[in-house]
Amino acid sequence: MSSVSATIQEVFNEPSCAKNQNKSEAEKKKGCTKQLQPGGAAGGCAFDGAKIALQPLTDVAHLVHGPIACEGNSWDNRGAKSSGSQIWRTGFTTDINETDVVFGGEKRLFKSIKEIIEKYNPPAVFVYQTCVPAMIGDDIDAVCKAAKEKFGTPVIPVNSPGFVGPKNLGNKLAGEAILQHVIGTEEPEYTTPYDLNIIGEYNLSGELWQVKPLLDELGIRIMACISGDGRYKDVASSHRAKAAMMVCSKAMINVARKMEERYDIPFFEGSFYGIQDSSDSLREIARMLIERGADPELMDRTEALIEREEANAWAAIAKYKPRFKDKKVLLITGGVKSWSVVAALQEAGLELVGTSVKKSTREDKERIKELMGQDAHMIDDMTPREMYKMLKDAKADIMLSGGRSQFIALKAAMPWLDINQERHHAYMGYVGMVKLVEEIDKALYNPIWEQVRKPAPWDNPANNWQNRAIAEMEAEAAALAADPVAAEKARRAKKICNCKSVDLGTIEDAIAAHGLTTVEGVKTHTNASGGCGACAGRIEEIFEARGLVPAEEPELDPVAAEAKRRAKKVCNCMSVDVGTIEDAIQAGAGNLAEVKAQTKATGGCGGCAERIEDMLDAAAANTPATLVAAE
């Protein structure tokens, strides 16, 4: 697991990540390593994220090394499409059992790879590590290397067991796998000045095919799409592209940035959701390709195409605008869609009453403010109850979200449209914008809503469960409004850090009592942001609400910084710090048992064993162990 830990550390320290760019120099030096907290993978584990990111590579055999449920739960969980091979839709798994847990599953994995290659002869086999084989120590890197040497087919290890983190980390670990084992391993048959990579696009419901004809018309070749409707050879030779467009920064920023560093392929982050964003992205693609050697007349042809497509799209949606007058939308999504879909909905004449930002970067939030104004209603974590009330009070006429939120809209008898990865319609580009408007219109004016809003003959409208629920919420709100003390108590009780169960009042009190001006200071006094770190942005917003500008953490002198580093706890159960373990290693402790004998570390729950092994690995390699200690 030490190699996985090193990869995770490198991924967390992504220089192009918006969160890292906004850190102080002192915070950047610490890195972003966080131990996974219970429940951290509830929205999807790292394995799920890796499988989602790479499965749209259509001619590759995707083999899951683990229990059958891992493959069953991850298979086809995203509506990507293929224009060619269908092998990617075949679920391959080693289906390890109790015997494999005892004796190891490496032989079973090797035999599975052999069977796939002999029966299907794919250009490559991707092997996904899962929790159980990772915990019993199966070395998939060694097995994949041996299989490649034996059969002559690339066998790519994807080290992303579920327990190492959430889905987004898995996306990035998948990117690291193809950077290390795939990209740059083959050469294209030919190159042109018009070769483009599209990174972080998954061809959901065939969305890529709504944009590809436009690029084809301009003579721009998609050298590789990573990974929607992708081919192994295209990705392997993608290092010869002239430019790249990154669609989802949270998933594949590491791929785009490292390809720029290694192969001098400049990239930009763009979107094909909405008319204006589609036009802007086409212009930026043309500009970057011209800078890399394409004929300058490409820009003239791009402008002509944009003028034609915009005219067609505006004409197609014009008839819907009167029907959308005064219609309000609640958008519950995340990441790039939190701002790109906002632009598309505004172009259609709809009013946004709120958009979720739970999975959005700081840059995403700034773009939302540009589109919706500085007072934009950005929802960080709206509860189902709050969603229901907003819909039932007609503060929104339709909700656009993923499938997990649909039942809230249905309970409120309000229209709902799937905007997430499970959707059955493609909404990208000019044609996709028209399709999105059509589907919203269908949902809003579907006659079923008039029927379901009618009370049943046996129902008492004054005393049904919907009215009772709303009455209860209104009574709570009225009680708070009538009692300022209770209202203030409820405000202060709002959870800011769910990992460490720290509320707003605790943070405000710590800021006032200690004159805090940094997130790190708040963490020291309250432990907020000491888990997954997702609440750091909310803590910064608390500073801003109090008229304080979050300050950079002051640099410590070298002696104080070293003392602080050595004082960090590695084993909380036995209260053993970094310095104690480092001294034991320096005194000759060469393995976990010897460290335990000298320091009592791992003598409690044993959860610190991996961190100590990382410190032993770092000492053996004569590298600093600063970043492997627990935060």
Side-chain angles (χ1 to χ4, degrees), residues 235 294 445 597:
V235 177
Y445 290 98

Side-chain angles (χ1 to χ4, degrees), residues 530-572:
C532 69
C535 60
R538 294 196 285 274
I539 296 171
E540 289 175 353
E541 290 170 1
I542 294 171
F543 282 122
E544 292 169 3
R546 296 172 67 88
L548 300 171
V549 177
E552 290 193 359
E553 186 181 355
E555 293 282 351
L556 297 173
D557 66 82
V559 175
E562 175 65 5
K564 183 177 179 181
R565 182 190 71 80
R566 286 175 56 85
K568 285 183 177 178
K569 286 288 186 289
V570 175
C571 177
N572 290 309

Side-chain angles (χ1 to χ4, degrees), residues 111-122 150-151 153:
K111 289 178 181 178
S112 299
I113 295 169
K114 177 176 182 289
E115 183 176 350
I116 289 171
I117 292 172
E118 290 177 348
K119 284 187 176 181
Y120 298 93
N121 191 29
K150 175 74 173 178
F151 306 115
T153 297

Side-chain angles (χ1 to χ4, degrees), residues 153-171:
T153 297
V155 184
I156 313 303
V158 183
N159 263 309
S160 185
F163 59 75
V164 301
K167 184 188 295 185
N168 182 250
L169 174 59
N171 296 155

Side-chain angles (χ1 to χ4, degrees), residues 64 93 141 357 497:
V64 175
T93 177
D141 294 81
V357 292
C497 178

Side-chain angles (χ1 to χ4, degrees), residues 40-54:
C45 67
F47 157 70
D48 189 36
K51 190 87 182 310
I52 278 175
L54 297 180

